[in-house]
Amino acid sequence: MQNPAPSHANGSRTQRIRDDLDQSRRRGPLQHIQIPPCPALLAQLQQAMSTPEPDLNLVARIASSDVAMAATLLRIANGPLFKPVGLPCTTVGQAMTRIGLRESVAVMTGFLAQHAIPVNAPQLARFWERSTKRAIAMATLAHELPGLSPDLAHSFGLFLHVGQPVLLQSVRGYAATMVEAGARIDRPYIATENANHKTDHAVVGALVVRVWNLPPPLMSAIRLHHDFSALGHADIDAEVHTLVAAGLIAEHLMRRHEGLPEDADWAGHHQAAMDWLHIGWDELAHWEEAVNAQLDAA
């Protein structure tokens, strides 16, 4: 990864993104976008994790307050990903100890987001399943990238396309726009969204993160995740660049794992992403092995 720009310039784009979102929500194209409220348990979870040494018992109590969420943690802890030896976990505390605190928080965040923003439209079949896979791929890549937080990377993968179901629920005609945007090869996906609705899923996804009070780098990276020309700009945090670049690679590796062809973003911008991360094709092959192993076990 490249070194961040000097601190006086670093991250000023984040403030502009925040201001643009707020202004557009007051009197622009985002006025009529309905953002589901942040789940109360997710707000509690964020608060619990904001301290330098989070209280495992407090997080376990939050997890236990939702029966289905607790069951999800137990299922994962007793599943093949962790290759449990000996007696199965029977309490949330045992499950979290086996999984790890931050990994448990990632699972809980995904559970709560999925239930706050349900997706039933055929245009978004398997939306949360694929979002979870992308989150796993991102967290795997974060372990290969010193300085990138695995839980932030996981959240980026999870929330990357969350603007799509929100737009589908809020904007008339967006389902047809998705079909058109996916079929056109003469312009990027978000260009069709903007032509039809004066906004796009990157903007709306960033707004969800803003309203839910999730980390500012997450908001910026989701807003910029199709703006690969911005890679390397001095007014953007290095962490945001790294999320965007790693996100392109995670998406590509996930598509390969599913047997899908490469997409236009990868074809046009993979070299910029690899250059930013200072990796070559050998390292990419190593990353693919690691991602495939995690996805196969999930």
Side-chain angles (χ1 to χ4, degrees):
M1 289 180 288
Q2 298 180 11
N3 292 326
S7 58
H8 68 276
N10 207 20
S12 60
R13 183 78 67 95
T14 294
Q15 184 61 51
R16 288 213 306 277
I17 289 171
R18 185 185 295 114
D19 292 345
D20 288 347
L21 290 172
D22 291 347
Q23 181 176 345
S24 185
R25 199 172 185 220
R26 284 194 300 270
R27 52 181 180 274
L30 297 180
Q31 288 180 88
H32 304 297
I33 303 296
Q34 300 297 316
I35 305 296
C38 179
L41 289 179
L42 183 56
Q44 293 176 32
L45 189 59
Q46 290 174 250
Q47 181 65 31
M49 294 300 293
S50 65
T51 61
E53 295 185 11
D55 183 346
L56 177 63
N57 292 324
L58 174 58
V59 176
R61 284 198 297 274
I62 295 170
S64 299
S65 63
D66 185 294
V67 172
M69 183 161 62
T72 298
L73 286 168
L74 284 165
R75 175 176 55 78
I76 292 172
N78 291 321
L81 185 61
F82 290 91
K83 301 178 178 62
V85 176
L87 295 174
C89 296
T90 57
T91 68
V92 167
Q94 291 171 350
M96 291 178 62
T97 299
R98 178 174 288 174
I99 297 171
L101 175 60
R102 296 199 175 275
E103 291 81 359
S104 299
V105 169
V107 170
M108 293 163 67
T109 300
F111 176 92
L112 293 166
Q114 183 170 348
H115 285 78
I117 307 176
V119 180
N120 302 311
Q123 294 87 350
L124 289 173
R126 299 174 54 235
F127 176 83
W128 283 114
E129 178 187 338
R130 296 195 82 248
S131 295
T132 300
K133 283 186 174 181
R134 189 183 304 106
I136 290 170
M138 279 295 299
T140 304
L141 296 186
H143 290 292
E144 306 287 341
L145 293 167
L148 181 60
S149 159
D151 47 330
L152 183 65
H154 185 281
S155 293
F156 178 74
L158 186 70
F159 285 97
L160 187 60
H161 295 310
V162 76
Q164 291 182 330
V166 172
L167 278 164
L168 196 59
Q169 293 169 11
S170 300
V171 175
R172 182 176 299 172
Y174 184 70
T177 294
M178 293 184 70
V179 175
E180 178 190 354
R184 294 188 69 147
I185 59 173
D186 60 321
R187 64 184 182 187
Y189 194 102
I190 60 172
T192 298
E193 291 178 315
N194 277 290
N196 293 356
H197 306 294
K198 296 184 173 61
T199 191
D200 59 63
H201 73 276
V203 172
V204 174
L207 180 62
V208 173
V209 171
R210 168 88 169 120
V211 171
W212 285 20
N213 198 34
L214 298 173
L218 184 61
M219 176 192 70
S220 295
I222 289 176
R223 173 65 185 86
L224 298 170
H225 79 269
H226 282 295
D227 189 4
F228 298 103
S229 64
L231 272 177
H233 281 203
D235 65 342
I236 302 172
D237 283 335
E239 186 174 42
V240 172
H241 289 308
T242 300
L243 283 169
V244 171
L248 181 63
I249 289 173
E251 185 76 28
H252 172 66
L253 297 182
M254 187 175 75
R255 289 178 69 85
R256 282 177 57 85
H257 185 263
E258 295 176 336
L260 298 174
E262 69 178 36
D263 62 11
D265 280 346
W266 176 258
H269 304 288
H270 66 270
Q271 196 58 56
M274 292 172 68
D275 288 348
W276 172 263
L277 299 174
H278 294 304
I279 66 164
W281 293 102
D282 288 345
E283 286 161 296
L284 185 64
H286 167 71
W287 289 8
E288 182 169 15
E289 288 181 11
V291 167
N292 285 346
Q294 291 297 314
L295 292 179
D296 288 340

